[in-house]
Amino acid sequence: TTQDGYGPFLTLNGANIKNLHVTGTITDDSYQSFGGIAGYIGGPSTLTNCWSSVTLKSTFDLIHGSRIGGIVAGTSSTDNSITTLNMSDCLFDGKLEGTNNSNSNWSGLVGWIYNTTVNISNSLFAPASVDINGKLYTIYGNFLTFNESGSTLANLYTTMAGSSSTYTQGTVATSEELADGTTTANLQNGRSEVIWVQDPVANQPMLAVFVNAVKLGDVNGDHNIDENDLDVIVKIVMGETPPGILKQA
């Protein structure tokens, strides 16, 4: 694509996205900004209970690199006024890959920010792997113009500690804290409604809304999509999940 700023959703303006899990791979070989869920926030938008397991790849290698966000690539109003991005209870556990370009800026949740009031809370950056040459901001990227008045960045966690090319934002969650439920409890943050639970498969926090989600397609792992998969899906929906069947979408 030639659009600067892309993802499963190209542009969000007045959007309310919730309870969404995105997987797959996005590969960029040009000077682009791209995100695991949205490329560009062009007007007031809200993301709640959004989970990106996307592999983000950049092969572009010129003086200016790409700007990549695990959830959102960038924010800016379409009319240059101050806009708003509200993000709560979001998770990135995908992969970041881009060894060709040392000039790219990578961000765990949100990439470049311009003329935007940003409210991010109760969210986690826990990448499956990171193999990049560029700079990594664990939560948010370049603040070209950041409207600090009214903005809140609260209760954010990352599994990436700082290094010469990593800018740590949020609280670093250790592998022990991920596994023993400490980080899950911290993300739940004392709320009565259950938002975060411990994933029994990955042994780390997951969003509760996806606990009973059904993975469609070759559910039983026999490399065929047929009536046998439908039988398994029905059993999952009825609460009779067979042993060894992955129940997360």
Side-chain angles (χ1 to χ4, degrees), residues 6-190:
Y6 63 93
F9 292 96
L10 182 62
T11 300
L12 299 180
N13 188 340
N16 183 10
I17 308 297
K18 62 181 180 180
N19 303 341
L20 176 67
H21 183 201
V22 179
T23 63
T25 300
I26 298 175
T27 301
D28 172 64
D29 60 0
S30 59
Y31 176 39
Q32 303 289 330
S33 299
F34 56 101
I37 290 179
Y40 178 68
I41 304 296
S45 295
T46 299
L47 286 82
T48 307
N49 289 346
C50 289
W51 174 14
S52 171
S53 300
V54 177
T55 296
L56 301 171
K57 296 183 178 182
S58 176
T59 59
F60 184 69
D61 191 14
L62 288 177
I63 189 170
H64 298 296
S66 301
R67 292 166 292 187
I68 303 101
I71 305 287
V72 174
T75 73
S76 176
S77 64
T78 54
D79 59 2
N80 290 322
S81 62
I82 299 297
T83 191
T84 302
L85 169 62
N86 297 312
M87 178 184 296
S88 61
D89 298 300
C90 290
L91 166 65
F92 178 82
D93 64 356
K95 299 178 181 181
L96 304 179
E97 301 177 0
T99 56
N100 284 347
N101 192 354
S102 61
N103 294 310
S104 287
N105 291 313
W106 303 74
S107 303
L109 299 181
V110 182
W112 57 275
I113 297 170
Y114 181 76
N115 280 357
T116 306
T117 299
V118 180
N119 301 304
I120 311 175
S121 63
N122 304 318
S123 296
L124 172 64
F125 172 59
S129 64
V130 174
D131 186 13
I132 62 174
N133 283 338
K135 297 177 182 178
L136 173 63
Y137 300 82
T138 58
I139 302 295
Y140 49 86
N142 296 20
F143 286 113
L144 304 180
T145 304
F146 177 41
N147 182 35
E148 294 188 25
S149 177
S151 293
T152 57
L153 303 169
N155 203 36
L156 305 175
Y157 295 86
T158 174
T159 59
M160 300 291 296
S163 67
S164 59
S165 60
T166 300
Y167 299 84
T168 303
Q169 302 144 328
T171 301
V172 176
T174 66
S175 57
E176 291 80 9
E177 290 170 333
L178 289 171
D180 67 15
T182 298
T183 304
T184 297
N186 289 338
L187 288 165
Q188 179 62 25
N189 202 18

Side-chain angles (χ1 to χ4, degrees), residues 214-233 236 245-246 248-249:
V214 177
K215 180 181 179 181
L216 302 179
D218 180 23
V219 179
N220 64 359
D222 66 356
H223 306 293
N224 294 303
I225 300 177
D226 53 27
E227 64 275 8
N228 295 322
D229 296 296
L230 179 60
D231 291 340
V232 173
I233 291 170
I236 294 174
I245 297 297
L246 182 63
Q248 298 148 319

